[in-house]
Amino acid sequence: MKIEMHTHTSEASPCANVCAKDIPALYQKAGYDAIVITDHYCKWAQERSGMKTAEEYAEYFLKGYQAARAAGNAIGFTVLPGAEVNLPGSPNDYLLYGITEDFIRKYPAMHELTLEKLYLICHQHDILLFQAHPYRTYCTPADPSYLDGAESFNGNPRHNNQNAAASQWVEKNKLIPSSGSDFHEFEDVAKGGIETPVSVTTPRMLYKVLHSGSYRLLTP
């Protein structure tokens, strides 16, 4: 089973230019079996959304995932919820795996927390916290004590991700590795992901696969 781990929709990520309803078919055609919708969850995206309260923003954020899931269901393609969270005081981004809609609604202001607090909340709910593209030009590797994993490979073609350095850092700190396309545009399809013999159809199953290590990275 091929799974895209880092996908953005134009409904919830201001920097993305592909509608959620179109993405499942693109990935199914590319030979993938599932995608994780990891739209941006952060202050600047909330400001661009026009949503005033955290609760309103949470519902706005979920629209991308919900539209992609509906499109996936129509063609027998799995779409899972995720998030790419940016926190105050740093340009770093963090990917959450194993989340649910209920989690987003319970913690609508999670983008206002410290990394340590977000990590503790994630662990209370069996959610994995990964750093996205830790060696991208404007990013800094975070304290591994508050990470479960990180992207060893980010396939976005418009950034200097320094994937070799990221991979070495992940291995050195014994973090769980991941790979993702960081999909924003049509040209980004199938530029990363994971492949596993396990059938992953729920957030909990994805959590278990990442924890078990029963997968390989796709680094085209």
Side-chain angles (χ1 to χ4, degrees), residues 114-123 129 145-148:
T114 64
L115 178 58
E116 179 180 5
K117 182 63 174 177
L118 179 60
Y119 177 78
L120 291 174
I121 289 174
C122 285
H123 275 231
L129 192 156
S145 301
Y146 303 124
L147 298 172
D148 295 297

Side-chain angles (χ1 to χ4, degrees), residues 134-135 144 148-153 163-178 217:
Y135 276 82
D148 295 297
E151 284 185 323
S152 292
F153 181 87
N163 288 318
S167 181
Q168 292 174 5
W169 179 73
V170 169
E171 184 175 357
K172 176 183 177 182
N173 289 284
K174 297 181 171 56
L175 297 171
I176 303 172
S178 184
L217 302 182

